Amino acid sequence: MQATRNGRTLPARNWTRLLLCCVFYAPSPLMAQNPGDDPANHAWQARAIAHAQKMRMFRDMVTGQQPTPKTIPVNRLDFDPSGMIATFQPKGPTQTSENAFFRNLGTNGRTCLTCHAPENGWTISATSVQTRFAVSFGNDPIFRLVDGATCPTADVSSIDAKLNAYSLLLSKGLIRIGLPIPNNAEFSVSVASDDFGCNTDPRTGVATGIVSIYRRPLPSTNLGFLGVDFTSADKRLNPTIMWDGREPSLASQANDATLGHAQANGSPNNDQLNQIVSFETGIFTAQAYDSKAKNLTGANGAAGGPAPLQQQLSEFYPGVNDPIGLNPKGTPFTSLIFKTYASWEGMLGGAGLTSDQAAVARGEALFNNTKFAIIKVGGLNDELGIASISGFCGTCHDSPNVGNHSVKMPLNIGVANAPADLPPGVIDATGLPVFNLACNSGPLAGKTFRTTDPGRALISGKCADIGKFKGPILRGLAARAPYFHNGSASTLLDVVNFYDVRFNIGFSEQQKRDLVAFLKAL
């Protein structure tokens, strides 16, 4: 028996190991870097940027300034809802006036810092956005019609109007993304419901070929773990940049964000792009102090905080700990993803740990060791033809001590389902538009999907990619609520409850609290 993945034949020993250990991982063939699917082709780019630029016709009437620290030091601590999050910059401090990440390169007052703040783990949180609205009366640069509002056509003539216009940003930390329907799409798109009307408005909607979806900005830190091989000649082997993996490189992402989100008149120059990428790839971020478990960076041997991630990155490579045998070094997969609090785990049942430290240790052990049936996951069960797969959290969150995918693996776990199709009372997708995607060609022709976000399908054009997203890096979670690509989980307990219900795991209430304690300590 021969098994293949991404066009490569797996060694027999790997296929045998997969069958024996019952930990399966089979990403879609769309992940292969084929000329027709490689996002480097930028089939989406020109139309998406043109849309953002065209939205200047709906003019912002404010020019709020971006508050910017003078320096990002080697070690920076910021308070977050669970304690303190830390940023470590081993190559030395950054003077913000000298780095394009912090400069206004566009026309609407925004910088990269606008949506990537250190106190939020280099992204934003809904709470922080609410504070920025209150302090600036809705004039902070994050509040811009192009994508901060539910639609560029929104009324922002009063405070009450702004509260409505920026409601998804304020409540869920969501940015509007306008992406074109691919020319090669196997599906047609119709709007089932849209509370804010952006997808039905003839000036901005689906009739123009643009689909407006709403997503959380991803952290601009710990980016060496995105699957970018910095030792390769082209510096972009198998990157997983953006929720849908559409950007081929960090430089490309910085360029497109400047032209789109900042509505710049022209692209950043190479020096500016290099400054942005150098800064983003030179910082590490993680929780350093927990208000309950206290010091996470050394107490009783704990290895929390960002400093250990520098060493972790030196050991990282695309395919590390891959569950199906694509680790280029041939090292077997292990479900023991996190060893951040291994010393605490070793002290369980004895003296020396506080009750809150013990909760973190138990949570890490649950994340690593809990086995459950993985069912109905698009990109996994369907492609293997196996209805139920015995796996772990680490089957999909396999990067050691980081928790994202070490290779491209967009999956559909159902988070993008229409609100009526989500587990009741677990996560909340109300307010998001609902689309019907009718598959007209391809293997799924004749089927119709209902979703709040087509996911990677808006890049590949494939019905098989509807609702698929990457798994994000898990470090610094406590600072950046809400969770999932659409902000549908307000808290980490909501995240745990979703997985518990979605996969019928059967966690006890104590186990749920322990898992939350661990996730907050990342």
Side-chain angles (χ1 to χ4, degrees):
M1 175 184 283
Q2 293 290 308
T4 62
R5 177 172 167 214
N6 288 2
R8 290 175 53 187
T9 300
L10 297 179
R13 65 180 185 278
N14 291 331
W15 183 241
T16 303
R17 182 168 70 243
L18 180 148
L19 292 174
L20 291 174
C21 72
C22 298
V23 177
F24 295 92
Y25 165 32
S28 164
L30 295 170
M31 297 169 210
Q33 294 188 354
N34 297 322
D37 179 56
D38 188 349
N41 291 332
H42 272 192
W44 60 273
Q45 182 195 40
R47 292 166 63 197
I49 291 175
H51 167 73
Q53 294 283 342
K54 183 179 178 181
M55 293 304 99
R56 292 196 204 184
M57 64 187 291
F58 306 106
R59 296 182 62 83
D60 290 293
M61 304 307 293
V62 296
T63 56
Q65 298 299 307
Q66 176 70 49
T68 303
K70 292 183 178 180
T71 304
I72 304 297
V74 171
N75 292 287
R76 176 178 169 126
L77 284 172
D78 290 282
F79 288 102
D80 66 23
S82 292
M84 299 188 78
I85 190 166
T87 295
F88 175 51
Q89 193 174 191
K91 294 183 180 179
T94 295
Q95 302 301 316
T96 59
S97 62
E98 300 174 2
N99 191 288
F101 184 95
F102 303 92
R103 291 180 57 191
N104 179 359
L105 302 178
T107 63
N108 57 17
R110 286 176 167 177
T111 71
C112 299
L113 186 67
T114 301
C115 292
H116 300 282
E119 62 271 22
N120 301 131
W122 295 97
T123 176
I124 56 173
S125 71
T127 300
S128 71
V129 171
Q130 293 162 19
T131 300
R132 290 163 71 174
F133 186 94
V135 169
S136 70
F137 297 96
N139 292 334
D140 184 282
I142 199 170
F143 303 108
R144 294 292 181 263
L145 286 170
V146 61
D147 53 19
T150 55
C151 196
T153 60
D155 175 17
V156 290
S157 61
S158 68
I159 289 294
D160 286 343
K162 287 181 179 180
L163 287 169
N164 183 63
Y166 299 114
S167 58
L168 289 179
L169 179 58
L170 289 162
S171 64
K172 299 178 184 291
L174 299 178
I175 294 291
R176 187 187 70 87
I177 308 294
L179 289 176
I181 301 170
N183 291 329
N184 66 337
E186 297 175 344
F187 51 84
S188 58
V189 180
S190 61
V191 183
S193 65
D194 189 358
D195 290 353
F196 299 101
C198 203
N199 285 288
T200 55
D201 191 307
R203 298 166 295 177
T204 60
V206 171
T208 69
I210 295 293
V211 177
S212 288
I213 37 76
Y214 302 85
R215 296 177 184 171
R216 299 279 288 117
L218 283 158
S220 59
T221 184
N222 302 322
L223 295 189
F225 299 103
L226 293 185
V228 180
D229 185 353
F230 290 103
T231 65
S232 68
D234 65 359
K235 302 291 190 295
R236 63 173 189 86
L237 176 64
N238 222 11
T240 42
I241 302 167
M242 313 302 286
W243 286 106
D244 50 21
R246 68 182 182 271
E247 291 285 6
S249 70
L250 294 175
S252 173
Q253 187 278 326
N255 177 76
D256 295 344
T258 303
L259 291 171
H261 300 305
Q263 296 175 295
N265 289 324
S267 294
N269 60 44
N270 286 337
D271 285 344
Q272 291 168 330
L273 291 174
N274 287 336
Q275 289 169 16
I276 293 171
V277 173
S278 178
F279 177 75
E280 291 178 331
T281 56
I283 56 175
F284 301 88
T285 304
Q287 195 75 3
Y289 181 86
D290 182 83
S291 58
K292 294 181 177 179
K294 308 304 180 187
N295 181 17
L296 304 175
T297 63
N300 292 316
L309 290 175
Q310 183 184 20
Q311 176 62 34
Q312 193 67 51
L313 182 58
S314 70
E315 301 168 3
F316 177 85
Y317 49 88
V320 64
N321 201 36
D322 183 273
I324 201 174
L326 280 188
N327 185 326
K329 297 185 180 180
T331 306
F333 167 79
T334 174
S335 70
L336 303 180
I337 306 302
F338 285 99
K339 299 179 182 179
T340 309
Y341 301 104
S343 63
W344 290 6
E345 288 189 61
M347 297 173 67
L348 286 171
L353 289 184
T354 68
S355 61
D356 293 301
Q357 290 171 339
V360 171
R362 292 193 301 267
E364 182 173 80
L366 284 166
F367 186 98
N368 288 336
N369 299 315
T370 300
K371 183 177 284 190
F372 55 91
I374 300 173
I375 58 173
K376 298 180 180 179
V377 174
L380 195 57
N381 297 93
D382 53 347
E383 294 199 11
L384 279 174
I386 301 175
S388 181
I389 299 166
S390 180
F392 304 86
C393 297
T395 303
C396 297
H397 297 277
D398 57 86
S399 292
N401 289 310
V402 180
N404 64 320
H405 311 319
S406 64
V407 297
K408 282 188 177 181
M409 194 173 81
L411 298 175
N412 181 2
I413 62 172
V415 174
N417 288 352
D421 301 326
L422 291 170
V426 180
I427 58 176
D428 178 19
T430 57
L432 298 177
V434 177
F435 306 97
N436 290 323
L437 273 65
C439 298
N440 307 312
S441 61
L444 299 178
K447 292 191 175 183
T448 297
F449 294 84
R450 187 165 60 168
T451 181
T452 57
D453 190 330
R456 184 162 169 76
L458 284 177
I459 306 305
S460 70
K462 305 296 184 182
C463 283
D465 280 344
I466 293 172
K468 287 184 179 178
F469 300 89
K470 77 168 186 175
I473 290 168
L474 300 184
R475 302 309 293 262
L477 284 172
R480 63 179 200 249
Y483 305 100
F484 294 132
H485 74 276
N486 57 8
S488 56
S490 297
T491 68
L492 287 170
L493 180 58
D494 292 336
V495 173
V496 172
N497 280 330
F498 171 79
Y499 280 105
D500 186 51
V501 172
R502 171 67 174 79
F503 294 108
N504 195 28
I505 299 173
F507 286 128
S508 69
E509 294 304 310
Q510 180 63 60
Q511 288 175 321
K512 291 178 184 178
R513 290 193 295 270
D514 290 344
L515 272 168
V516 170
F518 164 64
L519 294 173
K520 286 183 176 180
L522 288 177

